[in-house]
Amino acid sequence: MTTAATADEAAFVGIGELPSGRYPDRAFMGGLVDVAVAAVRDAGLAMTDIDTILLIPCLHSGADQADLVFSRVVEELGLNGRAKSNVMFHSGGSTSDNTVRSAISLINSGHAHNVLILQAEKWGSAPLIEMIDMLTANGIPREWEKASGLSFNAVGALIQRRYMAASGSTPQDMASVCVALREWARLNPNAMYKDKTLSVEQVLGSRMVSDPLHAFECPMMADGAVGLVLTSAREASKAQDAWVRVAGSGGCVSHYSIGQEADLAVLGWPTAAAPAYEQAGWGPGDADIAEVYDSYAAVLTIALEGLGLAPAGEAGRMFAAGDFSPGGTLPVNTNGGLLSAGHTGVGGGTALLAEAVRQLLGRAGPDRQIPDAQRAVCGGSGGTYMDSQVLLLERVTK
Amino acid sequence: MSEPGMAPLTEPFYDGLGRGELLIQHCKACDRTIMYPRHRCPFCYEADLDWVTSAGRGVLHSFTVQRLGAPSGFEADTPYALGVVKLAENVQLLGRLWPDAGGGWDSYACDAEVEFHPAGQDEISRRPVAWFRLGSPSS
């Protein structure tokens, strides 16, 4: 059953974002407050209109994570006594998708009027080995896989090797994914690598980390912060000419341990995508843009194929042909993605979601705004790519 | 060594590796094989579980060679190879791969036939993991 737009349904109306990269002097809580204010102003609302805060977890610090859970943001924003609820969801990189599902349900049901989603991460400033060990210790069965020496890059490598074998994609094809994302990042003033060009030769000339992944094919940990505001379509129409609705959603948790994934070149995407398109009443051919989790090249190509945005096995070659680059047939990860805008932990998916909303609102700026963008396919994944989450977004005008 | 309550699952499996056997958990109620070992059968939810010995034959679904950025404690092991193996007993697992005759892993490929070939007791005591090598077609 498809869903038609209604006055009660949830609408994205505002975005705030800080540049991604290494900002050791930028305070965690200060970043959250900055994007909160920016998003609420962008929405045309007052901070006191916000009644519900949904938080995206941070991974860099247990103390900062505890501050989020214990409602410090409410107090920092002066919403003591006004906020109904301050709560966090967590599914790793797909958290933003699950948080949006919660936000729209709260608004559609009348439990919330104006929801502020907030995310901040300081991965880029945190000690690298501590973050590698933290990632290595989590999402891997301690009793059965940890003793193998599995690293997070090795998880990406196992997926990329299988994808290359199944699709016949070459190292050049896979490197071209990173190059395409860099071309998008060059158009995004908030991207970590906005000032650095990248070529296929540079990628393949960088050191081998975990075969077949070269150093420049591994994501760089970054600091970042994003805020998003949702309200009802009724409220949105008072202050805005256009807003963004969620037309369809679907998900699939396909494994916990990487050793138990039935097909590393498929994951959960086909299962997640089918009900989302059915609910939306449109298909992959109707999408104007795609913003899909991309912590490694094959994580993105597999998702694009499972989402029906590329024929099976062809996404890598389509990247090499420039189909998903600026000027190509389908703009993909127009902010530069995790690989070139920066891997902000759980926030990488949040940044892609924010970019989809920004494009559909027509607020992406002169360099990278996709003309007349009406429909976006958003895909998120988390942990060891244990889940595949799909949100289909549509622009709505008054 | 095991976390509280985990020994009934971990010790038989680790002890098997130490003897050079790859054990697979088995549900006596529904006769299904289970990897990795669980507290209850994930198919029928009964807890009447025992072990069978794997024949050790499988297919390599994917693999990687860890060269840089190994987790703490594994730096001295590099380079080392990891692979996801689908066993003939209809279960799969992540394990280590022995170097080939050339001393590396160039002979390995996705969908290659592999066989369980145990590491020594000392290595298993240090790191309880199943090791595989390329299967010999004649054996």
Side-chain angles (χ1 to χ4, degrees):
Chain A
M1 193 186 77
T2 59
T3 54
T6 68
D8 293 327
E9 74 173 11
F12 285 99
V13 285
I15 307 156
E17 187 179 58
L18 291 178
S20 295
R22 291 200 182 88
Y23 295 92
D25 296 331
R26 197 162 77 194
F28 173 69
M29 195 53 61
L32 281 168
V33 170
D34 285 347
V35 294
V37 169
V40 168
R41 285 182 178 159
D42 190 43
L45 296 172
M47 189 62 76
T48 49
D49 293 328
I50 299 299
D51 58 12
T52 300
I53 295 176
L54 300 184
L55 296 161
I56 309 281
C58 70
L59 299 175
H60 67 276
S61 153
D64 282 338
Q65 172 80 343
D67 274 359
L68 295 177
V69 172
F70 282 75
S71 300
R72 180 164 179 171
V73 168
V74 170
E75 198 155 280
E76 297 277 355
L77 293 176
L79 294 174
N80 308 35
R82 290 178 177 273
K84 286 171 71 173
S85 166
N86 171 94
V87 66
M88 177 185 290
F89 286 80
H90 201 342
S91 60
S94 69
T95 301
S96 54
D97 305 285
N98 285 311
T99 302
V100 166
R101 287 194 189 119
S102 170
I104 63 176
S105 301
L106 289 167
I107 290 170
N108 293 359
S109 62
H111 289 297
H113 296 294
N114 300 301
V115 175
L116 176 59
I117 297 175
L118 291 176
Q119 175 272 331
E121 179 58 66
K122 288 184 65 69
W123 251 10
S125 305
L128 183 62
I129 190 64
E130 280 183 29
M131 296 300 104
I132 289 174
D133 286 344
M134 181 270 292
L135 284 171
T136 302
N138 294 301
I140 295 169
R142 291 183 294 286
E143 304 85 359
W144 315 114
E145 289 186 356
K146 196 179 173 194
S148 69
L150 183 69
S151 69
F152 219 76
N153 284 327
V155 171
L158 289 167
I159 290 173
Q160 187 136 322
R161 171 92 69 184
R162 184 68 207 177
Y163 175 79
M164 291 172 74
S167 66
S169 299
T170 64
Q172 287 76 14
D173 294 335
M174 303 317 293
S176 72
V177 176
C178 303
V179 172
L181 295 171
R182 182 61 56 89
E183 289 172 9
W184 282 115
R186 302 267 295 145
L187 306 176
N188 176 9
N190 284 345
M192 185 175 196
Y193 290 115
K194 63 181 184 296
D195 297 324
K196 282 192 181 165
T197 58
L198 185 67
S199 68
V200 167
E201 292 71 27
Q202 282 175 294
V203 172
L204 298 181
S206 63
R207 292 201 295 172
M208 192 66 87
V209 171
S210 190
D211 308 38
L213 292 177
H214 301 80
F216 287 1
E217 294 179 282
C218 300
M220 287 304 285
M221 294 183 176
D223 304 338
V226 171
L228 288 159
V229 173
L230 294 97
T231 186
S232 65
R234 181 181 292 106
E235 285 302 312
S237 66
K238 293 178 185 171
Q240 309 271 349
D241 294 327
W243 54 94
V244 173
R245 69 186 291 259
V246 178
S249 129
C252 174
V253 182
S254 58
H255 63 262
Y256 157 62
S257 113
I258 195 70
Q260 298 304 316
E261 171 56 48
D263 193 334
L264 289 166
V266 176
L267 305 173
W269 292 106
T271 306
Y277 286 123
E278 187 181 356
Q279 185 184 12
W282 48 270
D286 299 311
D288 299 308
I289 56 171
E291 308 289 348
V292 178
Y293 206 80
D294 68 324
S295 43
Y296 298 96
V299 168
L300 176 56
T301 56
I302 290 166
L304 291 175
E305 292 171 17
L307 288 162
L309 298 166
E314 294 302 318
R317 281 181 284 278
M318 289 172 72
F319 268 105
D323 290 357
F324 302 127
S325 301
T329 51
L330 178 68
V332 169
N333 295 7
T334 52
N335 69 339
L338 283 77
L339 279 167
S340 264
H343 192 332
T344 53
V346 177
T350 320
L352 285 163
L353 172 72
E355 175 69 5
V357 173
R358 188 188 284 122
Q359 288 282 356
L360 296 184
L361 289 174
R363 297 176 194 166
D367 291 339
R368 72 180 198 283
Q369 177 65 47
I370 306 306
D372 198 30
Q374 301 286 328
R375 295 190 177 102
V377 176
C378 298
S381 186
T384 56
Y385 312 99
M386 64 210 177
D387 67 338
S388 306
Q389 303 295 347
V390 182
L391 293 179
L392 303 177
L393 305 186
E394 280 178 9
R395 175 185 168 91
V396 181
T397 50
K398 189 150 69 175
Chain B
M1 186 164 107
S2 296
E3 291 181 28
M6 289 299 292
L9 297 181
T10 55
E11 286 182 7
F13 186 82
Y14 296 171
D15 289 350
L17 290 176
R19 292 192 307 272
E21 290 181 14
L22 177 57
L23 296 186
I24 302 172
Q25 199 182 30
H26 168 256
C27 176
K28 291 159 78 175
C30 73
D31 199 27
R32 301 275 294 259
T33 47
I34 302 161
M35 181 73 83
Y36 47 89
R38 312 288 164 90
H39 299 280
R40 280 180 178 266
C41 172
F43 304 105
C44 75
Y45 309 107
E46 294 299 323
D48 193 8
L49 303 162
D50 62 0
W51 303 90
V52 296
T53 303
S54 170
R57 307 237 155 230
V59 171
L60 188 61
H61 184 58
S62 190
F63 69 105
T64 184
V65 182
Q66 184 75 53
R67 298 180 190 277
L68 296 172
S72 291
F74 289 87
E75 301 89 340
D77 288 27
T78 56
Y80 58 91
L82 302 157
V84 176
V85 175
K86 296 193 171 216
L87 292 173
E89 289 89 352
N90 203 30
V91 294
Q92 61 184 72
L93 76 164
L94 182 75
R96 280 280 192 96
L97 303 178
W98 290 103
D100 58 24
W105 293 269
D106 291 347
S107 326
Y108 284 82
C110 290
D111 298 322
E113 289 186 20
V114 292
E115 60 187 15
F116 176 68
H117 183 73
Q121 176 70 60
D122 288 351
E123 175 64 14
I124 294 302
S125 301
R126 195 171 71 104
R127 306 197 195 285
V129 181
W131 285 74
F132 293 86
R133 66 183 179 189
L134 283 170
S136 40
S138 56
S139 60

